[in-house]
Amino acid sequence: MAAVFLSQMTIAHAQLNVDTKQFNPGSGAAVTRQKNLVQLSWPAGLQTQGKVTFDLSPGNPLFKTIALTAGGESHTISEDLDAAFLLSIGKRDLLSQNGWNIFFDKVPLRPYKTFPVTLKKTGITVKSTGSRTIVVIGNLVADRFAGELEITFYHGSPLFNVAAVMSTKADATAIVYDAGLVSRTQKWSSLSWTSTADQVQTAPVQYAESSKNLSVKYRTISAQGKAGALALFPAPHQYFYPLDEAFNLKFIWHGKDYRNMVDGYGMGIRQELEGDRRFVPWFNAPPGTRQRLNFFCLLSEKGHHDALDAVKKFTNADRYVSLPGFKTMSSHFHNEFIMNVVLAGKPVPEKPEFVDVFKRMGVDMVHLGEFHYTAHPKGPDSLRLRELKALFEQCERLSDRDFLLIPGEEPNEFFGGHWLQIFPKPVYWIMSRQKGVPFVENRPGFGKVYHVGDKDDMLRLLKEEGGLAWTAHARTKGSVNAPDIYNHEDFFKSDRFMGAAWKAMPADLSQPRLGNRVLDLLDDMNNWGEKKTVISEADLFTITHENEMYAHMNVNYMMLDELPAYRQGWKPVVEAMQKGRFFSTTGEVLIHDLRINGHFSGETLRLHADGTADVRLKLSWTFPMNFVEIISGDGNKVYRERIDLTATQAFGAKDFQFRPKLKGRKWVRVEAWDSAVNGAFSQTFYLK
C-alpha cells in the first residue's frame, strides 16, 4: 500500500527555514514559531480567530491543530491531519480535433495511472496577498508533476483552501485528482452530509471501516472534532470537468484506505475516472502550467449543521438569486421529454421532475434543445408537425406566471457545425424543401408552415419570424471549426445570427477563469467588426433532483422587469439576447449594474476627449473575489486591464468606478472572477 500523507517523506532533522519576507504583520494575521511548529492565526469573522499549527517535523501530521477562538474561548476543531492528493495522469488527444479544445476525447480508455502526491518538507513561506494569508510548503512530487503545497486563509471567514500546485513538462497530458484530509489518530467522532433528497445525514466515524463513495447534495462532507466541525468541499464549478450528463457520480469519499492508496482514515472529494461513460475529457494540463489541485475547508465551533449551512451560502444553496430588473434564463437542454415521454405513449406527469428542478434552482426561463437526433426534422410533414405541436402544447402547459419553458432545437442543418435557434413564438417549420414546394404555406390546424431547404431559406425564416440562431459549443464538439468557417457568410453577418454560447469547456485547473474558449471567441468576433453576443449554455441531457446539476449549470440574467407570458410570446427575451442586454454567470458573482459613460451593454458610446471612459460597476459575491478585468480591442489586438480584488472578503457587495484608457479601441467588455474560479461576464459595449 502506498502512503500519500503529504508529510510522510522523511528529511534531515535540521531546522527548516521560515520565510516571512512577504508577510505583512499589520494584516490582522500573526505567525509564530517554536522549533518545527509554525502557528498561523487569522481573523476568521466577527470576534473570531482561526488558528492552524503546522508541524514541519518529518513523519508527523502537517496540521497538528486546527482551531477557532470565539468570544475568548478556544475550540479545537481537528487535530493530527494531513492533506492527501491522488493524481491520475492520462494522455490528451491533440490531433483528431481542435487541440486543447477537444471534448470528444475518452482519456480513461487509453493507458493512465494514478499516483500519490508526496511532500518533502523543505521549507515554509508565509506571505500576505490582499486580505489573504498564504502558506507555501515544498516540495510536492507525483510522477512527472512537481510543485508546492499552498494553503490560503481568507480573512473575515473561517475558510481556507488547500492546493497542490503542480506542473509538468510533458505534453498532451490530461489529469483528474482526488483529495482530502486524512487522520492517523482517532480524533473525529462523526461525519455529516446532505443527501440528494436534501436531508442532513449523520453517522459515527468507524475508523476500521473501509472507504466508501457518497452521492451528496452541495458537494460537502463535515467531520465533528473535539469542539466543532470541519466541512470539506470542492470549488463548485471548477472541480467538475465537462460531461454530457450531470449525473451524481459520488463525488465525496470517507473511510479507511481510500482507493488502497491512502494509509489512514479520511474524507474528501473524488472524481469518477470514467465519467458518464460517454465522452470523458478530464482536465487539460499543458506543459508548464500550474495546475491547482485544490479543495476548501470551513470551520464551525457550533458543529455539523452550522458548518453545512455555512457552505451552502457560498452557492446560495445551489440557487440563482433574484435580482431586481432581471430574469434568469438557462439554455441548451436535450431532455427529450416530447419524444421519450409525450409521444412515446408513456404517462405524462402533471408536474415533470425536470421542471421542478429548474424552479428550485431559481431559473425563470428554460430554453430547450429538443429533438436532438430523436425526431423527424426533415419530415414526413405529418410527423414533424405532430412533434412540434406536442412540444408547443407542453411548453405552454408547463409555463406559468413564474416560469417560462421556451421551445427550441439544435437543428444542425444548413449553416454548418452545430447551432441553436429561438423564435419569439411557436413557429412550425420543416428542415427540407423539395422542388416545387413553397417556402411558406397555410396548413389547417397549424397556420403558417415553413419549408427550409438551404441556408438562404433559413436566414429568410429567421428574418420573417424574428428568430435568432447561434453557434452551439463553438470551436469544440460538432462545431470544432465554427463559427470561423462561416464568418464571411451572409447569415453570420446578419443580426439574426446572435453569435455563440459559453460553457466551462474545456477544463484547465491552472486558469483563473472558466471557458476561455468562448470568451476568446467573443473577443475575436468583436475584432472581426461583428456585433455579436454570447449567452451561457448548459448543454446537458438528463435533468433530475438526483443529479449534480449546479456544478454543470450556468445562467443568463436578462434585463427584464417581468416574465413574458407564453401566450403573448417571448419577444422581449429574444431582443435582450440579440441586443446584449444581459450578463452571464456561474451564480456566485452577480453584476447588479454595469454602465460605461451611462450606457448599457450592447449600446454604442463615445469616449471622453482624453480617450477614457467611466465604468460604473456594482458587484456582489459569495467567495472572496480575485479580480475584475476590462477587456477591449482595436479590431486587431485584444487588451486586458486587470483590477486586483484580493483585498475583498467573502459575501460582499460594492460599487466600483474605473476610468480605463480606451483610445483607439472599438469595443470593451467586463469580466469578474472569484477565488473559487466562479465568475460573471458582460456583453460588449461598442465605441465610436
Side-chain angles (χ1 to χ4, degrees), residues 244-247 333-335 354 540-544 547 549:
D244 282 332
E245 296 280 10
F247 296 147
F333 296 95
H334 302 303
N335 193 44
F354 78 95
L540 295 172
F541 288 73
T542 313
I543 301 152
T544 71
N547 279 4
M549 294 296 298

Side-chain angles (χ1 to χ4, degrees), residues 100-156:
W100 291 104
N101 275 343
I102 188 172
F103 173 80
F104 291 146
D105 203 355
K106 298 182 178 182
V107 178
L109 296 187
R110 295 189 293 273
Y112 68 87
K113 190 173 181 181
T114 300
F115 299 90
V117 178
T118 54
L119 173 68
K120 185 176 182 181
K121 296 175 180 175
T122 57
I124 181 169
T125 298
V126 184
K127 56 187 178 181
S128 303
T129 301
S131 64
R132 299 162 199 184
T133 300
I134 303 173
V135 175
V136 181
I137 302 170
N139 292 316
L140 295 181
V141 177
D143 187 58
R144 69 206 73 169
F145 280 79
E148 298 170 314
L149 183 67
E150 186 175 285
I151 305 106
T152 303
F153 299 89
Y154 301 95
H155 296 194

Side-chain angles (χ1 to χ4, degrees), residues 214-250:
L214 292 176
S215 294
V216 308
K217 194 170 175 64
Y218 310 117
R219 305 157 297 279
T220 306
I221 188 168
S222 171
Q224 181 72 35
K226 183 186 298 182
L230 183 154
L232 188 154
F233 59 101
H237 301 280
Q238 183 203 39
Y239 184 60
F240 298 85
Y241 61 83
L243 295 170
D244 282 332
E245 296 280 10
F247 296 147
N248 193 317
L249 300 175
K250 299 184 177 181

Side-chain angles (χ1 to χ4, degrees), residues 432-503:
S432 65
R433 184 181 177 194
Q434 302 301 320
K435 187 175 181 180
V437 174
F439 172 66
V440 60
E441 59 181 339
N442 280 297
R443 291 276 188 94
F446 299 100
K448 279 186 179 180
V449 174
Y450 293 89
H451 284 269
V452 176
D454 56 27
K455 60 187 177 183
D456 296 326
D457 281 352
M458 190 68 228
L459 178 56
R460 182 181 171 189
L461 170 59
L462 292 171
K463 288 180 176 179
E464 290 201 11
E465 291 293 343
L468 290 176
W470 61 93
T471 307
H473 41 74
R475 294 178 172 175
T476 190
K477 282 193 167 184
S479 301
V480 64
N481 295 315
D484 306 71
I485 56 171
Y486 52 63
N487 65 6
H488 61 286
E489 297 268 10
D490 289 343
F491 70 81
F492 178 82
K493 291 180 173 293
S494 166
D495 65 358
R496 295 300 89 199
F497 200 92
M498 185 188 74
W502 174 93
K503 180 178 179 175

Side-chain angles (χ1 to χ4, degrees), residues 502-613:
W502 174 93
K503 180 178 179 175
M505 176 171 64
D508 185 330
L509 295 164
S510 71
Q511 295 295 323
R513 307 149 78 217
L514 297 177
N516 291 352
R517 167 185 56 91
V518 176
L519 297 175
D520 291 345
L521 170 62
L522 178 55
D523 298 335
D524 288 344
M525 292 190 295
N526 286 330
N527 273 343
W528 294 342
E530 306 293 345
K531 291 186 176 182
K532 301 300 180 185
T533 62
V534 163
I535 65 167
S536 67
E537 66 177 351
D539 194 3
L540 295 172
F541 288 73
T542 313
I543 301 152
T544 71
H545 290 298
E546 174 80 13
N547 279 4
E548 178 46 75
M549 294 296 298
Y550 187 77
H552 295 276
M553 281 280 287
N554 47 57
V555 78
N556 305 283
Y557 277 78
M558 298 290 170
M559 295 184 192
L560 299 172
D561 290 323
E562 58 184 21
L563 193 69
Y566 186 93
R567 289 194 175 186
Q568 276 68 57
W570 42 95
K571 184 177 180 181
V573 181
V574 177
E575 288 182 343
M577 293 169 64
Q578 194 270 330
K579 293 179 179 179
R581 299 293 295 272
F582 64 95
F583 72 90
S584 304
T585 177
T586 56
E588 299 79 6
V589 182
L590 299 177
I591 301 176
H592 296 247
D593 191 27
L594 172 61
R595 305 184 198 204
I596 302 182
N597 285 2
H599 290 264
F600 293 105
S601 58
E603 296 180 347
T604 301
L605 60 101
R606 189 180 299 277
L607 297 174
H608 298 313
D610 63 355
T612 64

